[in-house]
Structure formats: structure tokens, C-alpha cells
Amino acid sequence: MTIAALFPPVVRLAAENVFVVDRPLRADEVAGILAEPRFAPVVELLERLNQWAPTMHSDRVAPGVFDPANADLFGPLVSELLIRCAREDAAQARVEADMFLSFMEEFLARLDADAWPDHPAFALPITGITAMPGETHNGRRRVLRLQCHGGAAVAYKARPANGELLFLAERDSVFGVLGLPTLRCWTGERPDRLAYLWQEWVDPPSEWGTLRSSPELRLAGAVLSPTQARRYFRSAGGVSAACFGFGIGDLFEGNVLIGADHRMYPVDLEVFLTPVGRLSDTGLIAVPSGNHHVGLENQARWCAAEGPSHAFVDGRRIDRLNAPWARTQTRTVVADVDGNIGYGPYLPVFLRGMFDTWVRMCRSRERLAELIQDRADELHVRVLLADTATYGKALAGEVPLDGFSPAERAQLTRADVPYFFRCLAGGPLMMVGQDGEFVEVADGEEHVVGFDPDRLTLSGLGMALRDAVEYAGVSEDDVIDDREFGVHVGPTEVEFDWAQTGKRVRWFWDEATVHLRIDPLEHGFDDPVRRTLMRIDSWDARLRTRWARDGFVDDDAARQLAAHTAQAMVWLEEVIGQQGWPGHAMVGPDAAEAACRLVQHAEGQQTFREHCLDLVRSAAAAGDLPARQVAYLTDALRVQAGQPQVYGTKFRIVDGELGPHPLESPVRVDVRRAAVGLEPLTDYAQRLREEFGL
């Protein structure tokens, strides 16, 4: 090991506007830096490490781990002190050095005192220790990764909030009850046992490959076979439902990991049993204006979510970085061997995982409530009094400290992002003091945490399903009917076969409300009307696609379509006369929409088709069809009657340009479209032009 390895590298700006490592510092550059008076605290730290390391003794740690040049352990600290000194903050640099060494002494005392799993993989001694960089709160007590002689890895987490014990532990945990992934988690028997945690480290899968590359950059991550991807995304759906139901937050990049067993693990569970109204509140998915480095990333972006704010731009000069760091690997982006990224291509299995886990939660809510209540006295939850961005501005000097509470100011002045927690059983708000002791805080009483079992009803999952479908980008043309998993998905609906109860459960939504409907399962998939509708629709789609791609000039295709549609309409009139309109409850969502398309594409039979429109309106009002089908059929009848359309769903080619048929009150068309769940007209038009090459 050399001392240069402790120092941050020299960086450069890549063509994609992200910073990348250019080269390590040379020995002569390191010597020049340490000769500058402003970097005196760094020299002092290195001297202290030389004196301190030989005194570190533990039968549980192998020789050499505490070598002062061990960059895995001491590199993050030295790098952060360099930046402090470059910003003329020597006093704070010395404080942080003291805090880190106290933290390590505390860690060793706990390591020597605590019991370990009786398993060969966890056999001691510890052969390697890595300090995770970027810890900005909790007295700068870092997460440590410990490599055991037996091969296993363990995380040491020196913080009071300990949701892992409630959710992830192998025994008596929420995830254990629900059949979700669990890990070995334990604490020691010392009086301060609530202030730290040991947890099995989540190793990545062996299926690791390139997610994205360029001449300058390469991003690596999990690249799975379709079978492995289905396993992962079903697990991810189940974990997502649980995190939504139990108010688990802060699940951004780095706090959600794919494991070696191709299942999803949330880690660092500090924020839990807090109010969560949307799936985005968990951090698993993004909102348009929010952080895109979420737990379920759907793009392989170059930028990293975190990283030092300053770096060497040459061998001597440290500058503030005005662009993000480039990440070289990610545990949050998951792809398959066909190049699909994220759960969107596996949406039915992801949603199935959500539904099945939510049902288990509903059926187990008394057991879960009892489990949480029994452990409430030993569980501590992190309480967020303000968002991290606000605290970040205060630490950067962009906002004055006098606007914060005394407890917040006490932590901000020691360069900590304020960290508060409360016992789940109740009691005062707490913070970690300068010396690691717990200190009561007077404010923040309105931030109450707890578990409400009444939330676990079928209707309670609706908003999370809506958010998951919208984040996947399902459009009007992306209706999915997955027979294997018994899931139907459209842009404003999700439907599940619930075979154990003989029911079909459907959630559907408009702008304001998510609705729930439960129907008998026996109708639909084996219904002869359904099978005929699906055959008609498949034949129609093949002919209509050929006709459209030839510019609507193929007379033979047009004649076949007209004959095919006329014959099908005769059959549909007989079905309606005998059984009524074939909606979702009768034939299933995809066949019901096929019936609507048939009536749209027909010509003539005006009286019968207007009768069909009345039936479609009634079905939509009852939740038996999506409202957009009313729009499609209304416009079809109006255009054929020579009247302006209402919703702008019908297009034509004029002088080689694809555009909508004349509109009634064009300035209000997007309002009318939104009311029935349709995208803005300009977006729809662009999609059509791209699809047909016009």
C-alpha cells in the first residue's frame, strides 16, 4: 500500500458532461500538497494513524487491516479532510478526524463484545474493512463493510434507527411473515445496543455485464436472462407493495439492491411506518420533477446520485465540480440479455408480485400488527424534520442557520445533516450528541410514526398500482393481457385473476380517483364470445396494419376489411340481443375493447351503432369499460356522419400530412381528452406520425 492511494484522483469532464477519473495523484504531487500549511490537519491525521494503528488490537481482526495506507478504510476520511482544508476549514477538519477515530474505537469495542452467527461463512477474523463514503449525518459514523475469513460479508451500521430488525431479520420479521427476502440482522447485548446494528451484506449476482457504453464510459450492472428477470421483478413487485404499505421511505439508489439470488433487497431501513400516500413517496419510483436515481431505475444514466462536491482537476488544485460524477456500476438498474431495462417490459409479473404480497399483508394484518407492537420498545425510527436539500443549502452557506431549531443548528455547526429519531413505542424526539450519546429534543412532536392495520385493504393498493403503471409508461397502444400470470394492464386499469377466491379484481382510475371492482372469475377467459371477438380483432389488426402502411391505397385490403367487418357486425348484433354488451365482466378487458374497435371500424348500420354507443356509455359509467372507448366510438360515428369529432381520435392524410379530422371546439379538446384518460392531442398525433412514418 502507498499513501497516494488515500488521496482522491485527478478528474476530467467527459463528453457526456459527467466527471470521470483521469489518473491517480503522483507521489511528488502528494508531497507538494502535504507541504502546504493549509493541509496541516491532513498531515496531523496521517501521523495519528501511524501512532494509533499499532495500538489497535482485536483478536477478531487480521493483521494489516489497520495499516494507515489502507485506502478502503481511511481513504474516504482523508479525501474529505483534504476538501475541508482546501476550503480553509481546518478546525472542522480536525473535528471530523477526532469523530472518525472515536467511531473506530467504539466499533472495535462492540466487535470484541458481540456474538456472531454460528455459521462457517461468518468465521472470524475480519480480513478487510471498507468505510462507505459520503456519510453526512449521525456524527459522521459510517457504514463499514467487514469481510469475514469464512467468506461472508457483514455491514456495521452505527445509528439508532434499526428498521432492519423489524423488516429484514430472518426470524420474527415482517418480510419473514410475507415470504419476502430476509437477511441475518443482530445487535449486541450492551446497554447501547439500540445505537448500532450488524447485518449480512447483500452480494451482487454473478450475472454482471455492460448496461451502457461509449468511447469514454462504461456502466455495469446486473444483466439477467428472461427467467431470472421475471424472478427479480416479481420479488421487486412484492417488496414495493410492502414498502408502500408499511411506509418505508428513502429507497433511492444505494438503498435498494439486487442480490445474488435475483431478488430485491431494501437496505438502510431508517425511515419506516411513516405516512405514504404515493409509491413515489417511498423513493422507489420517480415523479417528473424529482430525483431520477430511484430504487427502480428505468434508464441506465451516466450520472451518479452522489459523490464528492470537490475534486482535483490537476495535480494541485481542488475545485468545486459543476457537473455530476459518472458512475461505473449500479445495483439499481437491472436489465435482461435482450437489452430491456427496468420493470416496464416485465410489468405483468411486477404487478402480480405487488398484488400477491398485498393480499398476504391483508390476510396477515393482525399477526403483523402484533409483531410490530411486540417489538415497538426496541425499534427506533428516523424522523425527517426537513428535506435533505434544505439542510444541504444550510451546510453550503446558502441559507442562514437562524431559521433552524437549536437541535438542528447544533448538528449543522458540526457539518452534520440533522438526524432525529424516536422510539416506535413513543417518547421524546432524540438526536445523537457530539460524543455519541442520545439527547432529547423539545420540538418535532407532530411527527408521529406508527402502523395502521386498517390501511391494509384491497382498495388501499390502488394508488400504488396506478403509480407503477404510469411510471412504466403504459399508453393506449400498450394494453397487455398476460394469461400466464392472470394480469391485464391498460393505461388506466389493472386487473388480476384471483383464482383462490374465484374472483377477478380490477382497479381503474381517472385523474382524481382510483376505483375498485370485484367480479366473478368464471366469466371471460373460456367464454366463446370472447374467443370469437379475439379472432375478429386479430384478423382486423393484420389487415388494417397492411392497409395503413401502404398509405391506405390498397383497394384489395380495403375490400377485405369491409367484408370482414360487416360479417362480424351481424354476429355482434346477435350476441348483444341475447346477452347484452360484451364488457369486462362478460369477456375480459381485452375482448371487451375488441368489441368496441369492431363497432368503430364498421360502416353503415348507423342506428345499431348508435345503440352500441349508448351501451358503451353505460358500461363505462359502471366501470365495465374504460371511458376512452366512449371517445373512440363517438368520434367514429361523427366522422362517418360528416360531423366534427369531439375528442380528436380520428386522423386522415391530406396532401401527405397526417392530421385529425375537423374538431368541435378545438381549444377545449385536451380538456375533453383528459376527462376520459387520453393524452394531449399533440402527443397522440406525434405518436401516430412516428408509427406510420408520416
Side-chain angles (χ1 to χ4, degrees), residues 369-380:
E370 179 183 348
L371 187 155
I372 293 170
Q373 182 61 38
D374 288 346
R375 307 198 68 174
D377 289 335
E378 62 180 284
L379 294 170
H380 285 73

Side-chain angles (χ1 to χ4, degrees), residues 370-416:
E370 179 183 348
L371 187 155
I372 293 170
Q373 182 61 38
D374 288 346
R375 307 198 68 174
D377 289 335
E378 62 180 284
L379 294 170
H380 285 73
V381 183
R382 187 177 179 191
V383 177
L384 301 175
L385 299 188
D387 59 84
T388 303
T390 299
Y391 291 140
K393 291 179 180 178
L395 289 171
E398 297 175 11
V399 296
L401 297 187
D402 55 12
F404 295 93
S405 70
E408 289 172 308
R409 288 199 301 272
Q411 297 177 79
L412 288 167
T413 53
R414 72 184 194 203
D416 249 358

Side-chain angles (χ1 to χ4, degrees), residues 440-451:
E440 291 189 13
V441 177
D443 50 4
E445 291 301 323
E446 70 277 9
H447 294 269
V448 178
V449 294
F451 174 57

